[in-house]
Amino acid sequence: MGIEEYGGGQGPEPDVLVVTTNDVPGYRVQAIIGEVFGLTVRSRHVGSQIGAGLKSLVGGELKGLTKTLVETRNQAMARLVEQARARGANGVLAFRFDVTDAADVGTEVCAYGTAVVLARE
């Protein structure tokens, strides 16, 4: 598996800019729309859990689980961007992920931030 399978984020010129910072150099916040989030819950696959358990005995990266988490985070981020776009935003500030167990049957991944309208200075 190549490095491209373990990454995420946006392309070079997104229509909704998502950043982890509270501001964007060269832009000013014209309007604050409010909190937006993208949520997904993934169930645990019994086979991968067994494989992960065996791998944990000898150590090393759990590549299958890593790839699944990357896909899950990318899906949550895509949903956040869809919600921001639908509400008229062209930016999301203070972007974060939150990951929690969901009723012992899966993993909940929530991408969240503040939707804004950005204007070039």
Side-chain angles (χ1 to χ4, degrees), residues 2 10 16 30 32 38 46 50 65 70-71 74 79 82 89 100-102 111-112 117:
Q10 300 181 290
V16 176
Q30 209 170 30
I32 296 173
V46 174
I50 293 170
L65 291 177
V70 167
E71 291 168 355
N74 287 340
R79 289 179 177 172
E82 287 174 27
T100 58
D101 284 332
Y112 64 95
V117 176

Side-chain angles (χ1 to χ4, degrees), residues 35-56:
E35 180 189 8
V36 290
F37 66 90
L39 181 69
T40 185
V41 177
R42 294 285 174 107
S43 64
R44 295 191 178 109
H45 182 274
V46 174
S48 67
Q49 290 297 99
I50 293 170
L54 294 173
K55 181 72 173 181
S56 68

Side-chain angles (χ1 to χ4, degrees), residues 48-113:
S48 67
Q49 290 297 99
I50 293 170
L54 294 173
K55 181 72 173 181
S56 68
L57 294 175
V58 295
E61 182 182 8
L62 307 173
K63 291 185 178 184
L65 291 177
T66 299
K67 187 175 177 183
T68 298
L69 185 54
V70 167
E71 291 168 355
T72 304
R73 284 181 173 222
N74 287 340
Q75 183 179 45
M77 184 174 180
R79 289 179 177 172
L80 167 125
V81 169
E82 287 174 27
Q83 186 183 47
R85 187 182 299 117
R87 293 180 62 191
N90 67 348
V92 176
L93 303 179
F95 171 73
R96 302 286 187 269
F97 283 111
D98 188 33
V99 180
T100 58
D101 284 332
D104 295 326
V105 296
T107 301
E108 171 192 336
V109 175
C110 183
Y112 64 95

